[in-house]
Amino acid sequence: MTVDELDTRILRLLLEQPRTSVREYARILGVARGTLQARLDRLERDGVITGIGPTLSPAALGHPVLAFVHIEVTQGHLDDVGAELAAVPEIVEAFSITGGGDLLTRVVARDNAHLEDVIQKLISLPGVVRTRTEVALRERVPHRLLPLLESVGRASARG
């Protein structure tokens, strides 16, 4: 899917002012409300916009410890282990990966003891061979998409 200059402006506005109404976005961008709504609908349908809602802080919810747990899985059990991981509330993301391990999970915990409990739960899952854990000390670059969006927008304007 191609993201043009207007799409880029719309997406930037959504990232910078997520609580603004569609009518206000249209006014700010100088486009008709129907045009804006059609663009938003297309961006959602094409999978560019994947969700609308608040971004929550695990730390503010009492889970300030962040760790990345690599999980090695017995061959043929990747789907089974993936389904089991979905039942562990402290796992906020899980990805199949290449390299050292089969799965990479992002895990949050209340404290180090709680993290150990979560890791022990993971180790006990059928199909899990071993885990390797890396604890995050400090976030250096928060999750962001605006620089990528700006890069895509510049490329679109050039070509």
Side-chain angles (χ1 to χ4, degrees):
M1 183 206 151
T2 304
V3 175
D4 67 15
E5 191 267 336
L6 179 56
D7 293 333
T8 301
R9 290 175 51 216
I10 291 168
L11 293 167
R12 176 189 248 302
L13 200 53
L14 284 172
L15 290 171
E16 291 176 340
Q17 299 178 35
R19 301 185 85 174
T20 303
S21 70
V22 171
R23 176 176 282 135
E24 182 63 10
Y25 288 145
R27 187 194 67 72
I28 291 168
L29 294 169
V31 299
R33 185 180 181 281
T35 299
L36 179 67
Q37 188 63 61
R39 291 287 185 121
L40 289 171
D41 292 344
R42 181 179 52 81
L43 290 166
E44 284 186 43
R45 187 176 53 254
D46 291 346
V48 175
I49 297 174
T50 59
I52 303 290
T55 302
L56 305 179
S57 164
L61 294 171
H63 289 68
V65 176
L66 171 62
F68 298 93
V69 180
H70 298 258
I71 302 173
E72 187 177 321
V73 176
T74 305
Q75 282 189 329
H77 289 87
L78 193 60
D79 289 339
D80 298 333
V81 172
E84 292 289 334
L85 294 178
V88 180
E90 295 86 358
I91 295 179
V92 295
E93 290 182 298
F95 301 91
S96 300
I97 60 169
T98 63
D102 299 301
L103 294 164
L104 175 64
T105 62
R106 188 169 147 215
V107 178
V108 296
R110 293 184 300 274
D111 52 35
N112 288 347
H114 181 220
L115 177 60
E116 181 182 12
D117 293 342
V118 173
I119 293 167
Q120 290 302 317
K121 185 186 302 184
L122 299 179
I123 291 170
S124 71
L125 294 176
V128 171
V129 175
R130 73 178 51 85
T131 65
R132 187 181 91 244
T133 303
E134 298 163 347
V135 176
L137 300 176
R138 180 180 299 155
E139 182 177 67
R140 298 294 179 166
V141 178
H143 180 76
R144 69 209 178 119
L145 291 173
L146 190 53
L148 176 64
L149 174 63
E150 290 171 344
S151 173
V152 169
R154 282 192 301 273
S156 172
R158 284 193 304 263

